[in-house]
Amino acid sequence: MDELDMLAEMSPVEAEERPAGERAPASLTAAEQRLDAAHQALARAERAVHEAAEKNAEALSGWLRAAAAETLAQAERTRDRAAADMEQIAREVDEAKAIVAQETTGRNESSPNPGEAPAAQEESPLVYQSAEEFLHEHLLPLYNRIIDSRNGKWCKQWFLHPEAVSRVEALWRAWEHLRLDPATGMSVWWRDHADPHMAVLLSQKGPFHPCNNGRHHTPEPFECDYAPEGWFPRAGETPVEQWISK
């Protein structure tokens, strides 16, 4: 049982016995606890990668060098898994928050309908007019990290990587939304959006993995075949079950 599963078991067990209006806050608390644990796990994994990288850079020979390289590779795999776990749990936190907001709306008729932004937010102008402007003027000046052959990846032509474009766009829109919360908005943005997205973007095995020293190299897409005609039902059609026997 890993640390995240242990923390999940420590969350309130009586949540199912509570009234429906109280279950969502309990779920949100549990998700936030798991997210905090994921942040800690990722921080430890990043430190382990750093230590392993330093050891691997030493003048070793024979089996010591091979062991150092394997330790570094294992530390990087652990870090990548921790980053992916943190991103998944961050989505769970967002879903739990949406449930809380929906239930609160149901108890307060004067609140906006579920899924609608507050009127003040709709009328608030954007600070930045594009994801690129946000990246150059806000994100990169703030997010300063060591980028070299051992500690991360970046591509100057980030806009040629569809995944990077999507993630930067998500960071920009999340920032424009959360900046309107003067209390915890920026903390939530850093914890739930900036750190997990940037951990993936700067990962040695992230979207910039084929690029060297900032120079762009177009990554090869995964090979993927199309299924035979009729294998998957189209929207509105009844699913077929013949594939089960295949």
Side-chain angles (χ1 to χ4, degrees):
M1 180 180 298
D2 60 23
E3 181 179 359
L4 298 182
D5 291 334
M6 293 176 62
L7 186 54
E9 288 192 354
M10 294 170 58
S11 59
V13 296
E14 67 276 6
E16 292 297 328
E17 300 176 357
R18 297 182 178 182
E22 298 180 6
R23 292 178 188 171
S27 300
L28 177 57
T29 299
E32 289 177 338
Q33 289 175 343
R34 286 173 58 83
L35 185 59
D36 288 339
H39 275 278
Q40 296 172 14
L42 179 58
R44 286 193 297 272
E46 289 177 339
R47 288 196 297 269
V49 169
H50 180 72
E51 293 171 1
E54 290 182 342
K55 186 66 176 178
N56 190 54
E58 295 177 4
L60 303 174
S61 60
W63 69 271
L64 290 176
R65 183 169 184 81
E70 176 58 26
T71 299
L72 175 58
Q74 183 176 356
E76 290 176 340
R77 289 193 295 269
T78 300
R79 178 197 57 192
D80 293 343
R81 286 196 301 269
D85 288 343
M86 186 171 64
E87 187 173 1
Q88 173 62 32
I89 296 172
R91 288 194 292 267
E92 295 175 4
V93 170
D94 290 340
E95 291 172 359
K97 288 180 179 178
I99 294 174
V100 172
Q102 184 174 359
E103 292 185 350
T104 301
T105 299
R107 295 191 297 268
N108 186 356
E109 296 181 354
S110 62
S111 299
N113 292 329
E116 292 183 357
Q121 178 177 327
E122 292 177 352
E123 298 173 358
S124 179
L126 297 175
V127 175
Y128 302 101
Q129 300 305 307
S130 69
E132 181 180 35
E133 182 179 333
F134 171 77
L135 177 73
H136 283 279
E137 298 186 14
H138 187 85
L139 182 58
L140 292 185
L142 281 179
Y143 211 92
N144 190 359
R145 295 294 187 273
I146 298 174
I147 301 297
D148 56 29
S149 60
R150 295 181 300 170
N151 293 291
K153 282 282 189 175
W154 180 252
C155 180
K156 293 180 180 179
Q157 294 181 300
W158 64 277
F159 47 85
L160 297 178
H161 297 264
E163 179 182 349
V165 172
S166 179
R167 288 183 181 275
V168 173
E169 176 92 10
L171 286 172
W172 166 49
R173 295 191 179 280
W175 184 89
E176 293 283 5
H177 173 80
L178 291 169
R179 71 182 176 82
L180 300 176
D181 179 355
T184 61
M186 285 300 94
S187 177
V188 171
W189 180 78
W190 277 106
R191 184 191 67 185
D192 295 352
H193 301 276
D195 284 341
H197 278 301
M198 293 301 289
V200 174
L201 285 175
L202 300 181
S203 169
Q204 291 279 2
K205 299 180 180 180
F208 302 136
H209 72 273
C211 304
N212 296 320
N213 299 324
R215 293 194 298 271
H216 174 71
H217 290 274
T218 302
E220 292 293 333
F222 294 151
E223 294 184 2
C224 186
D225 295 332
Y226 280 97
E229 183 68 24
W231 192 270
F232 295 102
R234 296 182 179 275
E237 295 180 349
T238 302
V240 295
E241 298 181 355
Q242 59 185 24
W243 59 270
I244 296 178
S245 60
K246 295 183 179 182

